[in-house]
């Protein structure tokens, strides 16, 4: 049975990802020059070597990939462990992640990604967190997960683990982005936590399945954490914390950055306080996060069948949702909302005030209101 074009593309993407030295930036340069992964693999050594960032030795490795590399073992392992491999062109590939400057050429997904995971927030912080930091990370993750957001973090010691546990305890969804392969859990003491995450979300990585993490893989991992999220919350970070790299990447990607304040005499608070001075949003409650997130690029379906257009909608009660459902981007008169809902005018006006404060609607001419976005 012949392979489909999608299968061929995935196979070629897998082959290119297995070539040592081909990272996201090199892949981007190659695709800009040759157009497709297949064209990259079919190119001559001399043509490949003319690509920015590609030396002669790397060009030789790429040109020899079809002859010398075997993707069958990776495919076998993926099938054995129910791991999905997503090329960037796959419709299941996270849409937010596809938007960043250097998205992973191949994403290994162990577990399940759902459409609702498009409404996600990252929570990161110190590996050597204080009890205060751990408590804040768990509290925020739990509250945001209960509101309907997916919690993204890195399965590291400290704040990351607390964020995953907070989401799990709340019965919410959580995604762990790994620095190594999804079959090589690090740190090893988090294997049990990783198993719990698999039941409520997914482990994902761009690294080959069994590869061990190394120092350089964590900054690369951090761009995926921020890239999959609408915003990043930093809970405890020293001035040299890797979490500040995630925050910087989030800013570059156009994501919101939040920071939880701490004790002024704590080393672990210095990074967060610097972020706040530089313009990050100060976070005390989950509402501080949800109310700052703007409209989504496209509506996202929720498990109950509702579609949300902005994360702040996750905060609404039943009456507020009923009123918002009556409002469109063109503008609706208050009297029409009264007729559609059966609520009293005073109730409608009070509810519209709440929706306006949460930046879900705006006042237009006269007694009309319209959705933002």
């Amino acid at each position: 049975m012949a392979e489909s074009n999608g299968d061929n593309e995935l196979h070629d993407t897998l082959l290119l990802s297995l070539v040592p030295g081909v990272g996201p930036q090199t892949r981007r340069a190659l695709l800009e020059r040759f157009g497709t992964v297949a064209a990259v693999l079919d190119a001559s050594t001399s043509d490949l070597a003319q690509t920015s960032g590609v030396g002669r030795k790397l060009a030789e490795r790429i040109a020899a990939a079809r002859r010398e590399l075997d993707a069958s073992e990776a495919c076998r392992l993926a099938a054995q462990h129910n791991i999905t491999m997503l090329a960037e062109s796959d419709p299941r590939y996270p849409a937010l992640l596809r938007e960043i400057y250097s998205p992973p050429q191949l994403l290994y997904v162990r577990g399940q990604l759902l459409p609702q995971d498009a409404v996600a927030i990252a929570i990161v912080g110190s590996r050597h967190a204080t009890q205060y930091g751990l408590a804040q990370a768990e509290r925020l993750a739990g509250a945001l997960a209960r509101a309907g957001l997916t919690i993204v973090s890195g399965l590291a010691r400290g704040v990351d683990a607390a964020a995953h546990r907070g989401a799990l305890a709340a019965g919410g969804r959580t995604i762990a982005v790994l620095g190594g392969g999804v079959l090589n859990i690090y740190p090893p003491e988090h294997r049990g936590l990783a198993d719990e995450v698999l039941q409520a979300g997914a482990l994902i990585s761009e690294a080959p399945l069994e590869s061990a993490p190394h120092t350089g893989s964590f900054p690369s991992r951090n761009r995926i954490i921020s890239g999959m999220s609408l915003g990043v919350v930093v809970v405890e970070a020293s001035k040299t914390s890797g979490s500040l790299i995630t925050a910087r990447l989030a800013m570059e990607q156009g994501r919101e950055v939040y920071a939880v304040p701490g004790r002024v005499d704590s080393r672990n608070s210095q990074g967060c306080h610097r972020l706040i001075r530089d313009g990050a949003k100060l976070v005390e409650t989950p509402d501080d996060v949800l109310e700052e997130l703007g409209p989504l690029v496209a509506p996202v379906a929720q498990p109950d069948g509702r579609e949300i257009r902005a994360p702040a909608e996750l905060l609404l009660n039943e009456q507020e949702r009923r009123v918002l459902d009556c409002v469109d981007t063109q503008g609706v008169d208050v009297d029409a909302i009264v007729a559609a809902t059966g609520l009293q005018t005073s109730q409608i006006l009070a509810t519209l005030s709440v929706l306006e404060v949460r930046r879900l609607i705006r006042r237009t001419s006269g007694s009309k209101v319209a959705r933002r976005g």
Side-chain angles (χ1 to χ4, degrees):
M1 184 171 165
E3 287 185 321
S4 69
N5 288 337
D7 290 338
N8 288 331
E9 183 179 0
L10 178 60
H11 179 270
D12 288 347
T13 300
L14 176 56
L15 270 185
L16 185 60
S17 75
L18 294 174
V19 177
V22 177
Q25 306 256 7
T26 302
R27 173 180 175 269
R28 183 183 180 91
L30 287 166
L31 288 178
E32 287 177 350
R33 178 173 173 79
F34 295 99
T36 66
V37 178
V40 171
L41 293 172
D42 292 335
S44 67
T45 300
S46 57
D47 283 346
L48 289 164
Q50 293 176 34
T51 306
S52 174
V54 178
R56 184 75 186 180
K57 289 185 177 179
L58 179 54
E60 290 173 352
R61 289 198 295 268
I62 296 170
R66 289 202 191 278
R67 299 190 309 273
E68 297 181 1
L69 293 180
D70 183 6
S72 60
E73 177 60 14
C75 292
R76 184 194 67 78
L77 269 177
Q80 179 184 341
H81 294 278
N82 295 316
I83 293 166
T84 303
M85 293 183 286
L86 300 180
E88 190 183 343
S89 59
D90 193 305
R92 297 169 296 174
Y93 192 98
L96 276 176
L97 189 59
R98 191 185 284 119
E99 293 175 2
I100 71 173
Y101 177 75
S102 55
Q105 57 186 314
L106 190 69
L107 204 60
Y108 296 92
V109 181
R110 187 178 171 196
Q112 191 175 23
L113 293 178
L114 298 179
Q116 70 200 71
D117 296 329
V119 189
I121 195 81
I123 298 179
V124 298
S126 174
R127 286 175 169 79
H128 307 287
T130 65
Q131 284 302 311
Y132 165 81
L134 296 175
Q136 295 308 311
E138 192 162 340
R139 176 182 70 89
L140 285 170
L144 291 168
R146 279 190 293 272
L149 271 74
T150 295
I151 304 302
V152 180
S153 199
L155 203 74
R157 299 179 179 100
V159 165
D160 288 21
H164 291 304
R165 290 188 177 110
L168 291 166
R173 287 188 57 76
T174 185
I175 294 169
V177 184
L178 309 186
V182 295
L183 293 179
N184 190 336
I185 303 303
Y186 182 86
E189 67 267 25
H190 284 177
R191 289 191 183 113
L193 178 58
D195 288 340
E196 291 183 62
V197 170
L198 282 174
Q199 302 307 310
L203 307 177
I204 70 171
S205 178
E206 64 179 333
L209 291 171
E210 295 184 301
S211 62
H214 54 84
T215 303
S217 66
F218 290 106
S220 187
R221 181 275 308 266
N222 292 347
R223 89 186 193 290
I224 302 176
I225 291 177
S226 57
M228 288 192 67
S229 309
L230 297 168
V232 174
V233 180
V234 182
V235 183
E236 288 200 327
S238 68
K239 288 190 291 188
T240 58
S241 172
S243 300
L244 300 185
I245 296 175
T246 310
R248 176 179 57 78
L249 290 166
M251 291 176 188
E252 292 173 358
Q253 293 165 352
R255 309 298 195 244
E256 295 286 350
V257 177
Y258 307 87
V260 176
R263 290 173 55 105
V264 295
D265 59 352
S266 170
R267 178 176 174 272
N268 271 9
S269 299
Q270 292 174 339
C272 289
H273 292 170
R274 176 176 291 180
L275 285 174
I276 293 168
R277 285 197 299 272
D278 291 344
K281 312 295 190 303
L282 186 151
V283 173
E284 294 176 320
T285 70
D287 287 16
D288 295 331
V289 175
L290 287 167
E291 290 177 355
E292 286 291 336
L293 294 174
L296 301 169
V297 174
V300 174
Q302 295 299 288
D304 60 5
R306 287 187 301 118
E307 283 193 342
I308 67 164
R309 303 181 189 182
E313 292 180 37
L314 297 168
L315 290 168
L316 304 182
N317 60 35
E318 183 180 351
Q319 179 173 303
E320 291 161 351
R321 282 198 297 269
R322 283 175 62 194
V323 172
L324 183 62
D325 287 342
C326 296
V327 184
D328 59 28
T329 55
Q330 303 304 311
V332 177
D333 193 87
V334 171
D335 289 339
I337 302 174
V338 172
T341 62
L343 296 171
Q344 298 294 320
T345 302
S346 59
Q347 292 176 292
I348 298 294
L349 292 175
T351 302
L352 290 174
S353 295
V354 172
L355 298 178
E356 190 173 15
V357 166
R358 289 185 168 156
R359 298 193 296 178
L360 294 169
I361 65 168
R362 57 187 173 83
R363 304 278 177 171
T364 59
S365 58
S367 60
K368 280 191 171 184
V369 294
R371 272 186 184 258
R372 289 183 177 273

